[in-house]
Amino acid sequence: MGKYEKLILQILSGTSDANIKFEDLCNLLKKLGFEMRVRGSHHIFRKEGIVEKINLQQDGNKAKPYQVKQVRNIIVKYKLGGK
């Protein structure tokens, strides 16, 4: 199992939202086909066919827990997690 598969499982489990590295979450979204745009401290992700936009901000070197939850909801809603 690769790094991103493990990260998706960690996000989907919902047990460690406060321990997801910001850089890993950004790279995962890019790997899932999202385009990133940066405005100041805001990293905004958009993808064709997905209505919601994802707006992430760093909290130290971690992603903010409520933003990890938003990413989880989008992964589940649009079945982006693979199998």
Side-chain angles (χ1 to χ4, degrees):
M1 182 180 299
K3 177 179 181 177
Y4 292 109
E5 289 84 5
K6 287 180 184 175
L7 182 58
I8 287 175
L9 288 176
Q10 185 179 7
I11 291 169
L12 292 177
S13 76
T15 57
S16 58
D17 288 354
N19 291 320
I20 306 289
K21 289 185 180 175
F22 179 79
E23 185 178 334
D24 289 346
L25 188 58
C26 289
N27 288 334
L28 173 66
L29 289 171
K30 287 190 249 180
K31 186 169 172 54
L32 291 174
F34 286 83
E35 292 181 20
M36 182 176 79
R37 179 181 87 178
V38 179
R39 285 253 165 124
S41 65
H42 296 262
H43 293 65
I44 301 163
F45 293 86
R46 300 294 312 240
K47 182 176 178 176
E48 185 76 31
I50 295 186
V51 178
E52 299 88 351
K53 68 179 175 186
I54 301 171
N55 184 357
L56 301 179
Q57 290 176 283
Q58 232 171 318
D59 187 14
N61 70 339
K62 305 286 186 194
K64 294 183 178 185
Y66 77 92
Q67 293 171 340
V68 174
K69 183 178 179 183
Q70 290 172 345
V71 170
R72 176 173 48 254
N73 291 338
I74 289 172
I75 288 173
V76 169
K77 180 177 179 179
Y78 294 97
K79 297 176 178 62
L80 301 176
K83 299 175 185 172

